[in-house]
């Protein structure tokens, strides 16, 4: 079936707009993509792509071929997915990304358990606090936290987490414990990557601008500073739950706790979601505990 060679590679380039993104999407090399597309063009006797040093665009023939080839390619992918769904055990590589601290604390252990359960699955996970372009990088899904930006990506809510404002006993003994949100301006605050804290007031989220003595883009660093008595921090439960339980940290404003921050699994909408991906997403939704 030599006439099928190069179609997937060409469609990937046409979809993402460059050879590097297509190589990431198909988990192959740029050179392989280039060879396959060149072979397809030679076979058809037409130029499908207009290449420059900075961009790739479709020729008139390329546009026509893409419009007709893509549906056929998707039909073949659907057929393969249908057959894969019949397997008693899922197979293949799953590529995803997750935030660093949350990913290391929660996602990595769950991925390990998932691979123990399904021996045919392998995982490649990139931990990053940047919102990576999962389409351009050829990733199957991303774990994201908080409000999602408008996009063509599909999102499934996995769980919710709460934000705790807390400080050490030593800090409160020296500076007193704030009784109202307005009193925060009289306290030493430990600020994260965002210059505001969120509270639930009268069933609505309010963002309060904060400035502080220390600013870290790391939840672990903020927790350490709070434990050292340097001030108050607002952190997700997974950073401070143990310290709160032991009494090392004390929560303030529990009545204003933001309980609506969601944890999401996000995946591209322009490709069919393989059964192995759905299985992993359902597994994560089942095992990620809300209030993480």
């Amino acid at each position: 079936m030599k006439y099928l060679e190069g179609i997937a590679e060409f469609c990937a380039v046409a979809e993402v707009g460059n050879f590097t993104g297509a190589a990431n999407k198909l988990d192959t090399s740029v050179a392989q993509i280039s060879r396959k597309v060149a072979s397809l063009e030679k076979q058809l006797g037409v130029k499908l792509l207009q290449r420059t040093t900075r961009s790739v665009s479709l020729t008139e023939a390329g546009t026509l071929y893409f419009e007709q080839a893509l549906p056929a390619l998707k039909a073949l992918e659907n057929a393969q997915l249908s057959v894969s769904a019949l397997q008693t055990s899922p197979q293949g590589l799953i590529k995803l990304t997750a935030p660093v601290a949350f990913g290391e604390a929660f996602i990595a252990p769950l991925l390990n358990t998932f691979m123990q359960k399904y021996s045919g699955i392998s995982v490649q996970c990139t931990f990053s606090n940047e919102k990576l372009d999962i389409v351009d990088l050829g990733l199957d899904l991303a774990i994201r936290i908080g409000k999602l930006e408008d996009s063509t990506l599909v999102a499934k809510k996995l769980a919710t987490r709460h934000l705790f404002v807390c400080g050490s006993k030593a800090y409160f003994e020296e500076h007193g414990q704030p009784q109202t949100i307005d009193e925060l301006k009289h306290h030493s605050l430990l600020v994260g990557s965002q210059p505001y804290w969120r509270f639930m007031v009268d069933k609505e989220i309010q963002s309060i601008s904060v400035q502080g003595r220390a600013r870290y883009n790391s939840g672990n660093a903020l927790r350490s500073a709070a434990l050292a008595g340097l001030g108050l921090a607002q952190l997700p439960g997974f950073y401070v739950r143990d310290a709160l339980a032991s009494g090392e940290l004390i929560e303030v404003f529990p009545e204003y706790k933001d309980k609506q921050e969601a944890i999401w699994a996000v995946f591209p909408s322009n490709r069919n979601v393989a059964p192995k991906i759905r299985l992993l997403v359902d597994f994560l939704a089942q095992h990620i505990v809300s209030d993480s």
Side-chain angles (χ1 to χ4, degrees), residues 6-241:
I7 296 178
E9 290 79 5
F10 163 71
C11 286
V13 174
E15 282 187 294
V16 303
N18 59 76
F19 281 78
T20 300
N24 287 326
K25 180 177 181 180
L26 298 182
D27 196 23
T28 186
S29 67
V30 173
Q32 178 73 354
I33 294 288
S34 182
R35 283 195 297 270
K36 289 288 187 178
V37 172
S39 177
L40 179 62
E41 289 179 322
K42 182 178 179 181
Q43 178 185 326
L44 296 173
V46 294
K47 195 175 185 63
L48 299 174
L49 298 173
Q50 186 66 46
R51 305 166 178 81
T52 69
T53 56
R54 293 186 177 181
S55 64
V56 176
S57 60
L58 293 172
T59 63
E60 182 179 357
T63 299
L64 179 63
Y65 190 78
F66 177 64
E67 290 174 350
Q68 298 187 45
L70 185 62
L73 185 63
K74 293 298 183 184
L76 286 173
E77 289 178 353
N78 282 333
Q80 290 179 320
L81 291 175
S82 296
V83 172
S84 297
L86 296 176
Q87 295 182 134
T88 56
S89 179
Q91 307 286 323
L93 173 66
I94 299 176
K95 297 191 289 185
L96 69 154
T97 180
V100 177
F102 183 78
E104 292 175 345
F106 287 92
I107 301 301
L110 290 178
L111 291 176
N112 294 337
T113 301
F114 187 76
M115 285 188 288
Q116 288 175 332
K117 185 174 182 179
Y118 301 104
S119 59
I121 291 292
S122 56
V123 167
Q124 178 181 315
C125 187
T126 300
F127 295 115
S128 174
N129 291 329
E130 297 182 10
K131 285 187 170 59
L132 302 180
D133 189 326
I134 62 177
V135 174
D136 191 46
L137 294 175
L139 303 179
D140 295 299
L141 74 152
I143 305 302
R144 291 182 177 162
I145 298 174
K147 184 178 180 180
L148 297 177
E149 299 175 356
D150 292 335
S151 72
T152 59
L153 301 177
V154 174
K156 177 180 172 63
K157 186 176 180 180
L158 301 177
T160 57
R161 71 175 190 176
H162 302 169
L163 296 175
F164 296 78
V165 176
C166 52
S168 70
K169 181 179 180 181
Y171 175 85
F172 290 134
E173 287 177 347
E174 182 175 353
H175 302 281
Q177 189 167 317
Q179 302 301 311
T180 66
I181 295 175
D182 187 59
E183 290 181 21
L184 286 174
K185 61 188 177 184
H186 302 302
H187 284 265
S188 176
L189 305 183
L190 307 169
V191 186
S193 56
Q194 301 294 336
Y196 57 84
W197 287 359
R198 298 198 308 280
F199 297 96
M200 177 72 74
V201 180
D202 296 329
K203 298 182 179 181
E204 292 185 358
I205 294 295
Q206 290 189 10
S207 295
I208 308 298
S209 178
V210 292
Q211 295 181 351
R213 178 182 175 190
R215 187 187 191 103
Y216 296 116
N217 65 344
S218 162
N220 288 320
L222 289 171
R223 179 188 60 195
S224 177
L227 288 169
L230 296 179
L232 305 179
Q234 185 180 64
L235 287 165
F238 79 89
Y239 284 110
V240 297
R241 186 181 294 109

